[in-house]
Amino acid sequence: MMFYVSGVIDASPEAVFAWRMLITAACYATALIGRSNRRALRGLVAALTATWWSPLVLVATSALVGVQMWLFAWAPAHGYGLDASLGYLLLPIALVVIGRVGFRERVSKLQWVAVGIAAVAVGMNLSLTGAASWVTFTVCIGYALYFAIRRKARLEGAAAFGAEVALLAPVSIWFLFTTDSAWVPFLSVSLSGGCRQA
């Protein structure tokens, strides 16, 4: 729904991105302060202090996820909705390849079935629309890289994602001050997306 609404509302993709990130950060902060999530926060702090480069990795993964979230709002508003959808269809294939090659994971039969379904969907999409562009590969490769880096650096989980989104808050605020859009229509869209992610 958010993907569709991002393409039809009268607001800049940057404003949609900004509100979505700020509301997601607020939702994560609310969720993570609970007693049951304090262990996840302690785990994140331990991971970030384990090596000098761990905070730099968090900044890099924050940038990667920021590009993906911005592209999610930008693509449908600029006629690249099908290209972005194709990227999401290619993503399971990329994740299986990275898991198998980069992490030596065993691929189950069910995962191969998922890859097969994704491959058929991609083939059908390409034959019908030919919609493959830089957007497609940014979604597919960017998200696969994001998950691989997070796993390698042991910065996985809700607390890590909450920290990544919090790092995007200054960019989000800057977008809000530099875009000329009425904020009420997409505030509700951003709120629904932020709450869903949290």
Side-chain angles (χ1 to χ4, degrees):
M1 179 182 164
M2 279 192 63
F3 191 64
Y4 169 74
V5 174
S6 294
V8 297
I9 62 173
D10 183 24
S12 72
E14 289 75 23
V16 174
F17 163 84
W19 279 111
R20 184 179 181 190
M21 292 300 95
L22 291 173
I23 292 169
T24 301
C27 290
Y28 264 85
T30 303
L32 290 171
I33 59 172
R35 181 177 294 172
S36 61
N37 291 312
R38 289 184 191 153
R39 184 184 302 171
L41 286 172
R42 285 194 298 270
L44 176 63
V45 170
L48 288 174
T49 56
T51 62
W52 66 267
W53 47 264
S54 292
L56 299 176
V57 172
L58 186 70
V59 171
T61 57
S62 180
L64 280 170
V65 81
V67 168
Q68 295 298 328
M69 296 295 181
W70 168 79
L71 195 57
F72 191 82
W74 182 89
H78 289 85
Y80 285 94
L82 286 175
D83 301 66
S85 297
L86 182 59
Y88 287 108
L89 287 173
L90 280 168
L91 183 58
I93 299 170
L95 290 174
V96 167
V97 169
I98 285 179
R100 186 76 181 107
V101 174
F103 295 99
R104 304 275 190 247
E105 287 185 351
R106 191 177 147 270
V107 181
S108 70
K109 289 179 183 177
L110 192 56
Q111 288 170 322
W112 282 122
V113 169
V115 168
I117 291 169
V120 169
V122 167
M124 288 175 59
N125 193 321
L126 282 174
S127 66
L128 294 172
T129 65
S133 68
W134 66 271
V135 172
T136 303
F137 296 108
T138 301
V139 170
C140 171
I141 296 169
Y143 256 135
L145 259 172
Y146 165 74
F147 288 119
I149 291 169
R150 284 185 77 190
R151 179 165 178 194
K152 193 77 173 171
R154 297 176 190 236
L155 292 172
E156 298 176 286
F161 184 74
E164 290 164 352
V165 172
L167 287 174
L168 292 169
V171 175
S172 300
I173 292 168
W174 182 77
F175 276 152
L176 288 180
F177 281 105
T178 58
T179 56
D180 184 28
S181 299
W183 57 272
V184 175
F186 56 85
L187 182 55
S188 60
V189 176
S190 302
L191 182 58
S192 66
C195 292
R196 180 189 54 78
Q197 283 184 300

